[in-house]
Amino acid sequence: MPKFAANISMMYAEVPFLDRFAAAARDGFKAVEFQFAYEHAPAALRARLDEAKLQLVLLNAPPGNVAQGDRGLGAQPGREAEFRESLAKAMEYARALSCPRIHVMAGAVKPGADRDAMRRTFLDNLRYAAREAAPHGISLCIEPLNTRDNPGYFLNYQSHGAEIVAEVGAPNVKLQFDFYHRQIMEGDIAMGVRAHFGEIGHIQIAGVPGRHEPDNGEINHPYLFALLDELGYEGWIGAEYRPKAGTSAGLDWIRPWLSQR
């Protein structure tokens, strides 16, 4: 049976960030994930998690300077020191919040960039990160992003991500398989899940094309949830979408599963 985590960077945007934990818990969620919350002290986030009796299952490492076009530092040659600082910050939060997964973003391909050098840097940085994270029981995930929402991002295809995971060769480096990004770039989600199931460390969902509720659009999510059960997926599924008209009002899609837990 699937278990869902609310992505409170996108969901519950109608209330301030620190109030989203309680809002998710009131709607029946047992877990949350978020992209970035580094403007809040770990103790403040820990308090909200504890008050709401929630698990945090995923956070993103700091992305660099977003205003200057950064979308992560993992595959940025010459910025290895910055990457290590961002990883240290992410691990500080992950340890304080008992979060078992960190999404390490590769970053954008800047004009004139050497993709081969970026790939080598990504591999080296992930190997370093895997060594740092392993003693704390933390896994690292890399996520292919679609080129429509994320033009110029280094990693776009599940097969590319799986190749990098295999080449890094660390048991705590996994593939973050987002059905939304996969559908836009490649489709054939079920076959992709089957092909890469051994590399998958986390799953995320949203409706295509609008990135709204998963019952809106062209993806047959109930079929895919049944497939995950068939394959024995025991991890969380992150609901990373923008509600069309209020988060709680749009949760009919999840109520059958929440009521069974």
Side-chain angles (χ1 to χ4, degrees), residues 97-144:
L97 303 175
S98 303
C99 180
R101 289 170 207 86
I102 297 171
H103 173 203
V104 176
M105 300 182 71
V109 181
K110 304 292 178 64
D114 181 339
R115 289 190 65 95
D116 289 337
M118 292 184 71
R119 191 178 193 279
R120 290 192 298 271
T121 300
F122 201 22
L123 291 168
D124 289 344
N125 281 336
L126 286 170
R127 291 185 182 115
Y128 168 82
R131 292 192 300 270
E132 292 292 304
H136 307 290
I138 295 173
S139 293
L140 309 170
C141 292
I142 61 171
E143 181 184 22

